[in-house]
Amino acid sequence: MIISMRLHATKEEVAQVRARIEEFGYRVHSIEGEERVVIGAVGVGDVTACLESLEAMPQVEKAVRISAPYKFVSKEFKPDRTEIKAGSAVIGGDEFVVMAGPCSVESERQILESAELAARGGAKILRGGAFKPRTSPYDFQGLEEEGLKLLDKARRATGLAIITEVMSDRDVDLVAEYADILQIGARNMQNFALLKTLGKCGRPVMLKRGMSSTIKELLMSAEYVVAHGNPQVMLCERGIRTFETATRNTCDISAVPVLNELTHLPVILDPSHAAGKRSLVPALARAGVAIGADGLIVEVHPQPEKAISDGAQSLDPRQYAKMMADLKPYIALWKESRVALAAAV
Ligand code: PEP
Ligand code: MN
């Protein structure tokens, strides 16, 4: 069940509703919105009686039963799209948002050049990892706080917002000081300690789908962050592991419309990690626009042949500029259909 309190309900009123829910044997999670407190109740009990009793309380605006195991992130709970602000971008609204930049922050020069390149092509958000999850412990692990400082410099130079990965709950506060969006990598999608900490980080979060995770598991992970207090979550399809070896991962393009049916959270497509090969990235990016993603996250590098990580899938400046130009008519159609959809609701 989800229970929305009336606007500006007091702490005592929330406590009374909470107590009533607990009398029916349910466990309670409450999330504070800016104006409204929303309470999630989970467990087994007499749903009908509990709903009736809650609806009769004057402090309660609405009490609804949600059948999906993920409650706060479901469309049943909130039919209208969640919009998330980051710098000058709004993700989940009627602008298609591109995030672009290198896999890793490598040096001041590299990140500043990347940021200028990203902005020139029309991206609103700069990506770049300062904490890198690497398969081998001997590979470059990222510049850590020094990398975050360089991202901040790039933000000040270009006006782009910053998305960067956080790998551990210990680093959440540090990364949140510098980033506009915290990226949770595929390998950490089910790091529950991290997800709980993100509930309190006060920044938007982009949760990447684990390479062996189902869509339902992705939504349950998003539910962790929201249930722990942070409703600003977007999801990212970045390819899953299958028997296919021609691509680094298999881009599960159908995840985008499936997620759009099940959740109000924005959905981003990462064609770079899905493909693993730069020649395939523009086609997958087009597919992402056409199928209704809210945006893309793409790897670009001023000199991909010198990249410390993921060079093979990073677009060079010319390829990135061409991809962004080629996407324009698709994005115009995307915008028309987004505006028409909003008008139809
Ligand atoms: C990345 O974005 O560079 C990255 C490591 O992605 P993923 O977690 O999807 O592998
Ligand atoms: Mn990468």
Side-chain angles (χ1 to χ4, degrees):
M1 277 172 299
I2 298 283
I3 299 93
S4 302
M5 298 295 296
R6 284 202 187 283
L7 280 184
H8 311 298
T10 62
K11 282 210 163 65
E12 294 72 52
E13 288 173 329
V14 174
Q16 287 158 2
V17 172
R18 211 186 162 110
R20 178 71 56 87
I21 297 168
E22 284 165 352
E23 278 169 28
F24 280 89
Y26 290 96
R27 274 174 297 116
V28 163
H29 268 281
S30 67
I31 53 168
E32 320 271 328
E34 266 168 32
E35 301 184 315
R36 194 189 297 278
V37 173
V38 179
I39 299 175
V42 286
V44 229
D46 185 345
V47 188
T48 317
C50 184
L51 283 175
E52 273 175 15
S53 162
L54 292 169
E55 292 234 294
M57 296 179 82
Q59 314 87 310
V60 169
E61 168 86 31
K62 194 171 75 169
V64 284
R65 177 181 193 166
I66 310 281
S67 53
Y70 37 86
K71 313 283 179 201
F72 292 119
V73 307
S74 72
K75 265 264 169 76
E76 283 171 275
F77 167 55
K78 180 172 176 279
D80 51 317
R81 290 171 182 280
T82 289
E83 296 187 3
I84 298 175
K85 276 203 199 109
S88 67
V90 178
I91 301 132
D94 51 18
E95 295 295 335
F96 189 84
V97 176
V98 177
M99 314 180 190
C103 180
S104 309
V105 182
E106 299 167 5
S107 67
E108 175 163 346
R109 177 151 177 220
Q110 174 252 16
I111 199 65
L112 287 175
E113 279 184 26
S114 301
E116 275 155 24
L117 171 66
R120 229 180 299 130
K124 289 275 164 60
I125 300 175
L126 175 67
R127 64 146 291 147
F131 291 88
K132 292 305 302 177
R134 304 304 300 277
T135 303
S136 165
Y138 308 116
D139 286 343
F140 175 62
Q141 306 286 308
L143 296 180
E144 305 192 344
E145 187 165 6
E146 180 53 27
L148 297 174
K149 290 191 171 141
L150 296 178
L151 285 166
D152 183 44
K153 220 172 206 180
R155 168 175 41 213
R156 282 189 274 118
T158 57
L160 294 177
I162 301 295
I163 180 167
T164 193
E165 180 161 354
V166 58
M167 295 194 336
S168 157
D169 51 335
R170 286 191 313 270
D171 298 324
V172 167
D173 289 343
L174 173 70
V175 179
E177 253 180 62
Y178 294 93
D180 298 286
I181 306 174
L182 304 190
Q183 173 177 326
I184 308 310
R187 291 156 191 83
N188 266 318
M189 189 202 86
Q190 288 188 315
N191 179 340
F192 300 115
L194 176 58
L195 298 177
K196 288 179 192 173
T197 308
L198 291 165
K200 303 277 175 271
C201 74
R203 294 266 182 219
V205 167
M206 185 179 84
L207 188 58
K208 296 188 93 175
R209 179 179 180 184
M211 58 191 91
S212 306
S213 299
T214 63
I215 290 171
K216 183 173 161 189
E217 287 164 340
L218 172 62
L219 289 167
M220 292 308 289
S221 289
E223 184 78 8
Y224 260 89
V225 183
V226 181
H228 282 84
N230 184 357
Q232 301 188 85
V233 180
M234 63 196 92
L235 306 169
C236 177
E237 167 59 41
R238 47 78 75 206
I240 50 174
R241 208 165 249 189
T242 69
F243 54 81
E244 184 53 70
T245 55
T247 47
R248 181 175 179 184
N249 291 287
T250 295
C251 182
D252 182 7
I253 200 74
S254 55
V256 177
V258 170
L259 287 167
N260 280 335
E261 267 186 18
L262 298 176
T263 180
H264 51 85
L265 301 178
V267 180
I268 304 295
L269 183 73
D270 175 347
S272 308
H273 291 85
K277 188 175 165 198
R278 73 174 67 86
S279 63
L280 304 175
V281 168
L284 292 181
R286 265 195 318 274
V289 181
I291 207 152
D294 293 285
L296 299 170
I297 181 161
V298 185
E299 286 185 343
V300 295
H301 194 288
Q303 291 171 292
E305 65 290 352
K306 295 205 174 137
I308 299 182
S309 59
D310 286 349
Q313 68 196 30
S314 300
L315 299 174
D316 69 22
R318 196 186 48 80
Q319 290 163 329
Y320 168 66
K322 178 162 174 13
M323 180 189 81
M324 293 299 275
D326 291 349
L327 284 178
K328 281 197 175 136
Y330 294 88
I331 291 176
L333 284 173
W334 178 97
K335 203 170 161 114
E336 264 178 46
S337 69
R338 190 52 72 97
V339 171
L341 262 179
V345 177

